[in-house]
Amino acid sequence: MEKIVIKIVTFCNKNYIPVLKNWYLALQKIGLEQHALVITLDDETRDTIDFCDTLHRPIEVEGQNFGGLWQHRLEVLNDLLQQHDEIIHSDADAVWLRNPLPMISSLNANIVFTQGTVWPHDVHALYGVVLCCGLFYLNNSPQAKQFVTQIKERVINDKDDQVSVNREVASRITGWQIEEPVLVPFRETNFTTSKAVMTSKAKNKDDDLNVCVLPHHHFPRLVESITEEVYVAHPLSGKTLDDKIRCLTNLGIWWA
């Protein structure tokens, strides 16, 4: 039987096609391009992307219809979990520089997230740690599938998948197991990181969902320069295409 390989999934519309090409070039550089799956959100993107596997799931995203986009994205990911053993969702501006798959697989977790900064503020205030939806892993376990279903229900009201994810996790844990915590200054506050993987501490002993958070220095959102420690760089930047290109160019990780 052919082994089902993990899929690295990103979503793209016509506004970000150059960013998508850069994302794919990065995967090529580390030999992971065969894992790429692009969800095309409009006909122009579908007709342009001919260099990797695609799945056409169109949605109108003009007019800042982000609430609908997040719900759509979760529906697609839920469908993919029925077909694949494992998936990783990656924003197209999350640039892969080293292969993190062995690290992620070694955790034996249902769900693995990279770390955000301080959004949403209510969850940051609780634990000093928030999860980033720009890069996360799911397996097709019952626990992960149930989690996606719960997030789909929450995002209808929250209209922000990162808010929904963080609030769902926060409702089910008492905090995080953090080895040698380090405070990172950010704007008017700070957030907690660690050189080691952080693991969730379940509130209910019968709750068997286990969540891991990858070390921020390997998967940074705050990126001043690219070092050998970085596996995937997902730098904070503006929302426009020009903002993305400028940010990634300044870091030396723009090849498109």
Side-chain angles (χ1 to χ4, degrees):
M1 181 180 295
E2 183 180 356
K3 179 176 175 58
I4 301 175
V5 299
I6 187 170
K7 283 297 183 181
I8 304 170
V9 181
T10 196
F11 292 71
C12 187
N13 68 9
K14 61 186 178 182
N15 298 328
Y16 288 96
I17 290 174
V19 176
L20 173 69
K21 290 180 177 179
N22 191 72
W23 176 82
Y24 184 76
L25 286 171
L27 288 179
Q28 276 189 316
K29 288 176 180 289
I30 58 174
L32 292 179
E33 70 275 13
Q34 75 274 17
H35 295 269
L37 174 63
V38 177
I39 312 303
T40 56
L41 299 175
D42 52 47
D43 291 350
E44 184 173 335
T45 307
R46 177 197 60 194
D47 296 340
T48 300
I49 306 307
D50 59 0
F51 46 79
C52 69
D53 291 342
T54 61
L55 174 64
H56 191 49
R57 293 291 295 268
I59 184 176
E60 177 61 56
V61 294
E62 301 296 338
Q64 306 298 305
N65 180 29
F66 294 125
L69 175 60
W70 305 152
Q71 190 171 2
H72 180 71
R73 184 164 73 173
L74 287 161
E75 289 171 354
V76 174
L77 292 176
N78 186 58
D79 290 346
L80 291 174
L81 276 182
Q82 315 310 314
Q83 306 167 39
H84 301 283
D85 288 342
E86 304 169 285
I87 60 174
I88 293 178
H89 168 266
S90 173
D91 282 355
D93 62 340
V95 182
W96 291 53
L97 302 170
R98 296 173 63 191
N99 182 358
L101 301 186
M103 179 192 299
I104 293 171
S105 296
S106 70
L107 300 174
N108 294 315
N110 307 126
I111 302 173
V112 180
F113 277 89
T114 49
Q115 187 171 359
T117 54
V118 299
W119 177 255
H121 299 302
D122 55 330
V123 176
H124 171 260
L126 285 174
Y127 305 125
V129 174
V130 297
L131 310 175
C132 177
C133 287
L135 186 74
F136 59 88
Y137 161 93
L138 301 167
N139 63 20
N140 68 356
S141 64
Q143 296 93 332
K145 290 177 181 177
Q146 182 190 43
F147 181 78
V148 172
T149 298
Q150 290 162 331
I151 300 307
K152 283 173 56 183
E153 295 170 355
R154 279 184 175 268
V155 82
I156 294 171
N157 294 319
D158 293 332
K159 302 189 185 305
D160 184 320
D161 58 347
Q162 187 152 312
V163 171
S164 296
V165 161
N166 277 280
R167 289 178 178 169
E168 176 63 27
V169 171
S171 73
R172 297 170 63 171
I173 66 174
T174 60
W176 298 93
Q177 183 67 41
I178 305 175
E179 297 180 19
E180 300 181 11
V182 176
L183 294 180
V184 176
F186 182 72
R187 296 176 181 164
E188 302 301 319
T189 182
N190 54 61
F191 59 92
T192 303
T193 66
S194 173
K195 291 288 186 178
V197 172
M198 294 184 276
T199 56
S200 59
K201 297 188 289 186
K203 183 178 296 184
N204 185 337
K205 63 181 178 62
D206 296 323
D207 189 346
D208 57 358
L209 178 72
N210 57 324
V211 184
C212 292
V213 183
L214 294 166
H216 182 263
H217 68 290
H218 288 320
F219 302 85
R221 287 292 271 151
L222 301 184
V223 191
E224 295 182 358
S225 62
I226 301 299
T227 71
E228 292 184 354
E229 289 186 313
V230 176
Y231 281 77
V232 181
H234 188 201
L236 294 172
S237 67
K239 297 294 186 183
T240 70
L241 176 60
D242 287 344
D243 289 334
K244 303 293 185 188
I245 293 175
R246 186 180 307 109
C247 175
L248 299 180
T249 298
N250 289 341
L251 289 168
I253 52 176
W254 179 262
W255 305 286

